[in-house]
Amino acid sequence: MDTRTLLQWPIIRQLTGDDPFGRGNAVTSEATASMTPRTADADSVANSVCPYCAVGCAQLVYGKDGRVMHVEGDANSPVSRGRLCPKGAASEQLGNSPLRQTTIRYRAPYATEWTDLDYDTALDMIADRVLEARRNHWEDADDEGNTLRRTMGFASLGGATLDNEENYLIKKLFTAAGAVQLENQARI
Amino acid sequence: MTNSDFDAYRPPQPERKRRRRRAAGEVRRTGAGDGSREQPMVDDIQFDSYYGRPIVKAPPWKAPIALYLFVGGIAGASSLIAAGADATERPTMARNARLTALGAVLVGTGALIEDLGRPERFLHMMRVFKPSSPMSVGTWILSTFATASGVAAAGEIDSLLDEKLPLGPLRGVLQAVDGPAGAVSSALGAPLATYTAVLLGDTAVPTWSGARHGLAFVFGSSATMAASGAQLLLTPTAETGPARALAVAGVVGDLVGMHYTKSQMHPLEAEPLEEGEPGRLLKISEGLAIAGGIGALLGGRNRVVAAASGAALLAASALTRFGVLNAGLESVKDPRRVVEPQKARLEERRKAGVTDDSITTAG
Amino acid sequence: MSLLSGPEGPITDAGWGHEHHRKGFFTDTSVCIGCKACEVACKEWNQNPADGERKILGSSYDNTGALGANTWRHVAFVEQDGDRIEEARESGRRLVSLGMPGIGPKESRTAEDGAPLDLTGADRSHPDTPEFRWLMSSDVCKHCTNAGCLDACPTGALYRSQFGSVVVQQDICNGCGTCVGACPFGVIERRDDGTISPKGSRDERFDQDVPEMGTAHKCTLCTDRLIDGEIPACAKTCPTRSISFGDRDEMVADARERVAQLHERGMTEARLYGANEKDGVGGTGSVFLLLDEPEVYGLPPDPQVPTAGLGSMWKRAGLSAAGMIAATAIAFAAGRK
Amino acid sequence: MAEAHPVAFQWVMEAKRRGATLIHVDPRFTRTSANSDKHIALRSGSDVILLGAVIKHVLDNDLWFEEYVRAYTNISTIITDDYLDTEDVDGVFSGFDPETGTYDTSTWAYEGETEKVDRGLPERDETLQHPRCVYQILKRHYARYTPEMVEEYCGISREDFDYLVDAIVANSGRERTTVFAYALGWTQQQGGSQMIRTSAVLQLLMGNVGRPGSGIMAMRGHANIQGATDLPTLFHILPGYLPMVKAGQESFAEYTRGVGRKEQKGFWANADIYTANLLKAWWGEHATVDNDFHFDYLPRLTGAHSTYQTLGRMLENKLDGYFIMGQNPVVGSANGRLQRKGMNNLKWLVVRDYYMIESATWWKDGPEVESGEIASEDIGTEVFFLPCANHMEKAGSFTQTQRMVQWRDQGALPPDDATSELQFIYELGQRIRAKLKDSTDERDRPLLELTWDYPVDEHGEPDAEAVLMEINGRYLTGEKAGQPLPGFAEMKADGSTEGGCWIYCGIFKDDVNQARRRKSREEQTLVAPEWGWAWPMNRRVLYNRASADPQGRPWSERKKLIWWDEEQGKWVGNDVPDFPLNKRPDDPGDPSKGGPAALAGTDAFIMQPDGRGWLFAPTGLADGPLPAHYEGPESRVPNPLYAQQSSPTGIHPQHGKDNLNAPGVKPGGDVYPYVFTTYRITEHHTAGGMSRFLPYLSELQPELYCEVSPELAEQLGLEPYGWMTIITARSAIEARVFVTERMRPLEIGGQTIHTVGLPYHWARGKQAIVTGDAVNDLIGINLDANTQIQNSKNNQCAIRPGRRPRGEALRELVREYQERAGIVEIDGQIHDATPQASHNAEDLEHTIEHADIQSDYMTKPPPSKVDESEQKGGTR
């Protein structure tokens, strides 16, 4: 034990410093002395918005190694002033919950279990099915001869937690494909 | 207006009530939401709690700690007996007492470490010396005592084995410090046995906290009684005369001490010492102590009776520690044991004209 | 206060000098909406494990139960009817009539005509007692001036920071548990558990990563955040500023002003908890405005730091030890061969 | 609001600190009530009675804001003499066709020469004496809505009613304003649109629209539910609230004229421009003036195609595939059992989510599989589960509840296979186009000619800003070619500009992503115009012309927002004026021009064809120009106001025996004696997909409970925190008993009405951290005719202590109650006892026919933006 280490022995610090009772700076460890908030390790801070209700509270997303390490409110926001409700405050867990499903799963018709599928195959299968469903239920005109130019073969539900840009592209692509049964939470 | 078919026959409507108001004297429903309510112990004090949930927490101390309280007492008192035996030239008892002290302190240390959340960090206890922490003070007492007892006992063992321990040149050192070590261990024996009362008393646990006025006497007596009992068990009757006397003194101290302790407590604080499992342990302990005391007093010259009495006293002491520990653990479960004594003492101070020391203020 | 339980200037006592003001919370339960954001933000920042039983606890909307090793903010919910509200108002009125010191800032203590405001009669001007109320209150470590846990810690793991907060050093604590019993508020606890695993038959089960097992845990006042000039996670997230944070002096002043406001509206049930330096723990770092007796919220009505009695306890232990020595000496002296 | 929007509630608490009075009207005492000055419990579904009585009080006592109302509303407008009120037709309006359950709304029109009415200049009687002027109609219509009626049928005492009315009156006028905030408590009712309309009528009367601290706030429930309505994934509209094309509208001109006539007042007169820019954005060079911008590429509607009609197609095996993206319909939609049944019939299903939600796993661990009613092996649906990126793992924008668009930067990378919807839909589009590239089929041309080329990053993620730029729009010709449009006023219908959504035009003004602005609130005014961007044109308060008096002066100093500055010759103030900037307050408008130029200087409601706020809505609503009270579809209370029991236009597809209604006031109604209302709580989020999988949220509210009054608990022998079973005509579930005085019985029309409350966040499955029965299994599909939104807030149930039966016995229990109520015969023949039996369709297609909400939409100008969000969005 060298002298420096010995001098760091809290008892010595108790006897020599301002904290004889050992309730303050005499007893701190090196880790305590060099304490920083854990966000000090973050390598990015992104301006974001809470994904739950529509109040639109501003969030700061602290990232490290490509993952979210912490989320808190942005005090600059005129809407939320940095505050978050319990759901907003749990946003980090929304991304990092151990229950998150991060790989593609596929259930064949009448199967009792999931299997795995790679992205490219899945996308290809879905594209085929969209085209088939579109064909199967294509309607050129109604009984009175009015143009319909649509398909009733597939539908889509969702969008209220998706971005504007995403909703726009969903509407654009599916409308161009002739689909009309496009809906989201706003109806529910 | 209405288009009900039964309009004309509608019975007179009771006067519309905005919300059900409780008539005076009507019994409150339980579980209706405003926390649990129980019958007040004292008529003019209404007892409220947050759904009957505990207010304070008991430390996470289990059987090893009770064992530690017990053997710590034995160790401490045994070292005193060893000193007495040395001084009065009772070598067998001196040796037995020293070895008892060492064995007990080793078991105690083991138990203490066992009960830590992070046993590998036991040595962190040595970082500081905190006069405000009975555990810190106690640990220093314990470690010094253990070291000293170890040295003293090593000397005993060495001489017992006719210096056959492979000590080499260290034997000289051992023989030189043997005496002082014994003295240190004797000096720390009594504090070792009684500091644990402070350890328990220095908590917010109602029963322990309430027992703070007398618990040291109970623990000191109990330790004395147990250590004496150990010698009655281990040492031939020829040398155990003082131990018998001590045993009797210990029993008396234990009984009187416990009575005194309870007399200083709020009834709700004392209750766990008398009821339930801890109460039962303490009742058995009391019986065993009395039996052991009588046995030691009257039949102490008989080796068998002495041994039996010794065992009874040891058991009594052990049960006292388990009883007191468990009574404390039990006492936190009912928030009444926190709220009522505190309200009572607050009320008492207010009656005495002290109105400026409440944690609740109007501004 | 005795020397052992610490003097009134906790920061100075801890050897920090006057680098920082003592920090603290003011939790104003009269504006708490019971959203529990404080609980979640606290757990997220401190990475505390979820430890709920995943069962309804039978205490209104509170399924957290109490403060503990993994829960450093706890929101209490209490449903009360009109009778109970009247009782609370009455008990608050009694407090006022005790003539306690330092009630409210001066300017709000006088009526418009300059005469002293007679708060004991304030209820008469108040609108009707509501028929029902739902109290919500976020509890937290009190960061006492005279902190039982801090005093009792044998390893120096607990220390008083430069901000006046009482903090466990996780690299030091060996889990002896002494602090747990020493807290008069039942706040600190040893972390012995805290896992979540889904009860269903998921393909892969998982256990939550539980850091720092076996050591004592409690609110740190987000001391790590304070170092960077941030405020504690709970105070930052609180939507309605029911939890505010700042210099303890200011918190107490705010609390006094707020309670005076409420009293002026006839809400005599409002009272402060922890603002009195003369109480059994020397005043708390976390001050609360309550609307009923403390025990209704699960708070002790007259907490005292155990170490306040330490001198007397050591005296008795010494006496007992002396008794042991004397008894032994007498026994051997009398029995000398 | 404290429950579901806690952070927004900070402003309410702030206002309360400053002396605002906060009143909470709700059947339940919630966390909002706990923090309000007053909680007023009303019987669920009786809102129009209450608000109607407030309107009557205000009219009878001349308490309305006369100067405001006369200048800015249609109070003096005269209605055609074909119009018959509910007063005249005993509970329905003129134009009702009982066969179809729909209205021909033509009789609700303004009086006047067609030419003048079309120009927004109907006949008026400024003396308000004309018997057919809106003022007189209003007075007659609400004459029945008395405080006594409120006391008897809402369960609100006279005292409380007076408190409410006095507070509204005292807090309205020049110096003060009142605001109404609502959420699903209104939208999820059959008749919910009219509840919102009632508050709109009241707010207009009190001068509480277009002013700071005024209005009707729809507290919307999802991060981007506003954006998903503006840039709609909804069947009935295109971006910017342009309606979807209806079968029969063969030409661009016919369609755009239906949306807005060139000669009408205000900004809908430019519907052709907005449409042309949208089409141009979608089909680029292929869309030209000559081919009507390929208007012909748009698919047409033949009725309602909402999620509930789509469910009908599923049940009839007429739908092959379904995309579910960030939704959990088997939990969140009405009649969950039916939703699952429908999904059993799909050929394929794509679910995109973060977690294994119940809508992805119903075939494996759904309630029917659990009970043995159906086996996994019998379900032929092919399921793709695709993990998706969350809001932190992609860049993009959300539009919050006040129409403010906020951009999010990317903070992390999506894990493993997870992708954004942007990437998925983009790549799916590319894949589909690749597969069709050699197609010569005419029907594939819209896909092949679609502008579908966005820059992507190294992970394949499209640049969301490029998409936003397309939404904003660009100049295509001239020296500014390629530059973003600064606002929709720059849009042209000649192919020289394009823009995907006219109301978002300007969001990329100055080539800056305005939604990304984050100037601290400390550094700007309270209006905070430099934080994010609000459509349209960054206006924070819509119709804010009304914040100034007719002469252009603020109504009062403390309520000023914008005003006319004579020196500068323009409107100035703290917000972007929602009015033609240089139009003087005394400008008479130029009727010959149409559009914005036709607006007079006092035509504050610039989206309305007459420039006025509509107390009386001549068009735009499917169920009446004025709100009238109807009982809920299962209500056991006879309608105290009209012979018409429940909404004459309500929609109720039966789907065999799976969507029955309780008999209500008919015999057998007493089998389901209690009202249940569903709701959300702070700790969870809608169907639980974003909360039940998170440990921190799950532990806060781990189990489903049912809130019951002590009286009902005692009556039924319910043990606190024990179990109870709730049975409806659809299904039965179990919940923990939560006895609380926050629920209380009401004496209504001579009977005691017990209401119980059920939060609906839980579901049965094996994947989430906490599970419980799904409450929406209890709810039937009874839709509002305007919105196609289900009635969740007042339905009837029976209650028994203890847990529900397992296995087959559960269906037997439900059936036993159905039989006792006489809604299903022993032999399985359905006896429909629903009050509005006149148009209960057993056939879904039939239902669609007469539920067609588009009929109004297509022929009449769409309602204003405010009305739009009220009717279509409601709030989630």
Side-chain angles (χ1 to χ4, degrees), chain D residues 330 336-344 362 366-368 774 777:
Chain D
V330 308
R337 177 186 154 74
L338 207 53
Q339 301 283 344
R340 293 185 289 272
K341 205 170 171 180
M343 279 165 52
N344 291 344
W362 92 102
E368 289 75 23
D777 281 17

Side-chain angles (χ1 to χ4, degrees), chain A residues 141-159:
Chain A
D142 66 10
D143 298 341
E144 293 158 28
N146 295 315
T147 305
L148 292 181
R149 201 188 178 110
R150 71 178 184 188
T151 180
M152 299 299 280
F154 72 95
S156 167
L157 177 65

Side-chain angles (χ1 to χ4, degrees), chain B residues 266-289:
Chain B
H266 189 281
L268 279 171
E269 293 170 342
E271 205 175 58
L273 295 171
E274 288 161 345
E275 289 175 3
E277 182 65 19
R280 209 168 58 84
L281 293 182
L282 288 167
K283 280 213 178 63
I284 298 172
S285 163
E286 196 176 295
L288 284 171

Side-chain angles (χ1 to χ4, degrees), chain D residues 254-326:
Chain D
E254 193 181 347
Y255 164 79
T256 55
R257 189 163 170 76
V259 181
R261 299 173 305 274
K262 289 312 280 186
E263 67 272 25
Q264 78 183 42
K265 285 185 181 180
F267 286 87
W268 275 115
N270 295 332
D272 55 340
I273 299 177
Y274 313 145
T275 310
N277 277 270
L278 168 66
L279 296 172
K280 189 76 185 158
W282 283 9
W283 283 291
E285 59 188 19
H286 304 284
T288 63
V289 175
D290 296 337
N291 64 13
D292 273 352
F293 302 98
H294 269 316
F295 172 75
D296 57 320
Y297 280 3
L298 291 171
R300 314 297 156 99
L301 304 182
T302 48
H305 307 297
S306 88
T307 182
Y308 289 109
Q309 280 84 17
T310 299
L311 170 65
R313 287 186 68 89
M314 283 187 224
L315 292 165
E316 293 169 11
N317 262 317
K318 288 181 181 166
L319 192 77
D320 288 359
Y322 201 26
F323 288 90
I324 297 178
M325 299 187 262

